Amino acid sequence: MLETVFTMFSIAFQALGLATAAVGMFKTFKDSSTPGDRFFSRVLATELGAIRQVWTAAGDLCRRLFRRPRPPTAHTGAAGVMFGAVEFSARGIVQFGPLPDPAQDTDAFKAAVEERLNRAFKLAQEVQHGLGQETKAREEEDQKMGSNLHARIIALDEESKRATIRGLHEQVLGFFCVAIGLVVQSYLDLAY
């Protein structure tokens, strides 16, 4: 009777430990994997790759032994994606109307040219000032976005670490339960 109780206790602890460890491993994988990854896909891909290599090697060995030529195969690669850089340029034309005839009135021509040069200089300064203000505003916005992004990355990193630690804690607890079950089972094997 006591042996049956110990055996059931041992089996229950081992099953509980394996289930807890499996849940912990799944949570750790889920928290550290990219969206869309499946739990065993990486492990199975590695195993299937090894099986394919062994199968190919065995097939090659059989072909060499029986002297049958390998069937021809065609290999194709993925098409490359081309990215082109586009450059834009703009040119503005400022027109002020007709100039007075320099042959008839040189002072009026000189005054009109000076006025136009002053207006063009003033327009250039306004544009330069506007560009400077826009550049400054964009740089400040970039700095704000960079600091917000950095803070978000740190927060996500901390959250990921906490989630991974929770999964590892469950794994350790599960393996501890398995160890207790194995100790009880070993005791039963030695005692009875």
Side-chain angles (χ1 to χ4, degrees), residues 26-48:
F26 177 74
K27 284 185 178 180
T28 302
F29 177 80
K30 183 179 163 189
D31 292 332
S32 63
S33 67
T34 58
D37 277 349
R38 293 192 313 220
F39 186 52
F40 288 111
S41 65
R42 290 184 189 169
V43 175
L44 290 177
T46 305
E47 297 299 323
L48 288 175

Side-chain angles (χ1 to χ4, degrees), residues 44-115:
L44 290 177
T46 305
E47 297 299 323
L48 288 175
I51 290 171
R52 280 189 201 111
Q53 287 179 349
V54 168
W55 185 260
T56 303
D60 289 345
L61 179 65
C62 287
R63 277 188 205 88
R64 270 189 260 140
L65 289 176
F66 299 118
R67 301 282 186 231
R68 286 192 345 202
R70 186 178 190 151
T73 58
H75 298 282
T76 60
V81 178
M82 294 176 44
F83 293 99
V86 179
E87 184 178 317
F88 293 99
S89 64
R91 188 182 327 182
I93 298 174
V94 180
Q95 295 182 345
F96 298 104
L99 284 172
D101 187 20
Q104 294 177 357
D105 191 7
T106 57
D107 290 333
F109 178 76
K110 181 179 173 187
V113 168
E114 283 182 12
E115 178 194 355

Side-chain angles (χ1 to χ4, degrees), residues 4 56 70 82 110 121 135 142 149 176 191:
T4 307
T56 303
R70 186 178 190 151
M82 294 176 44
K110 181 179 173 187
F121 180 72
T135 302
D142 285 347
L149 183 61
F176 181 71

Side-chain angles (χ1 to χ4, degrees), residues 80-191:
V81 178
M82 294 176 44
F83 293 99
V86 179
E87 184 178 317
F88 293 99
S89 64
R91 188 182 327 182
I93 298 174
V94 180
Q95 295 182 345
F96 298 104
L99 284 172
D101 187 20
Q104 294 177 357
D105 191 7
T106 57
D107 290 333
F109 178 76
K110 181 179 173 187
V113 168
E114 283 182 12
E115 178 194 355
R116 289 180 185 192
L117 287 175
N118 287 338
R119 283 179 60 195
F121 180 72
K122 187 177 178 182
L123 284 173
Q125 282 184 332
E126 288 174 2
V127 168
Q128 188 175 9
H129 179 71
L131 287 175
Q133 293 292 350
E134 185 177 345
T135 302
K136 185 178 177 182
R138 285 185 183 193
E139 286 174 355
E140 289 174 358
E141 188 65 29
D142 285 347
Q143 287 176 352
K144 269 198 251 179
M145 289 179 88
S147 64
N148 289 343
L149 183 61
H150 184 67
R152 181 72 176 143
I153 287 172
I154 289 173
L156 286 174
D157 187 43
E158 291 298 321
E159 182 180 331
S160 174
K161 286 178 184 175
R162 283 193 304 274
T164 302
I165 288 173
R166 282 193 304 266
L168 290 173
H169 177 70
E170 289 178 0
Q171 290 177 34
V172 169
L173 183 63
F175 289 127
F176 181 71
C177 289
V178 170
I180 288 175
L182 288 174
V183 166
V184 170
Q185 186 70 37
S186 299
Y187 173 73
L188 285 176
D189 288 344
L190 292 175

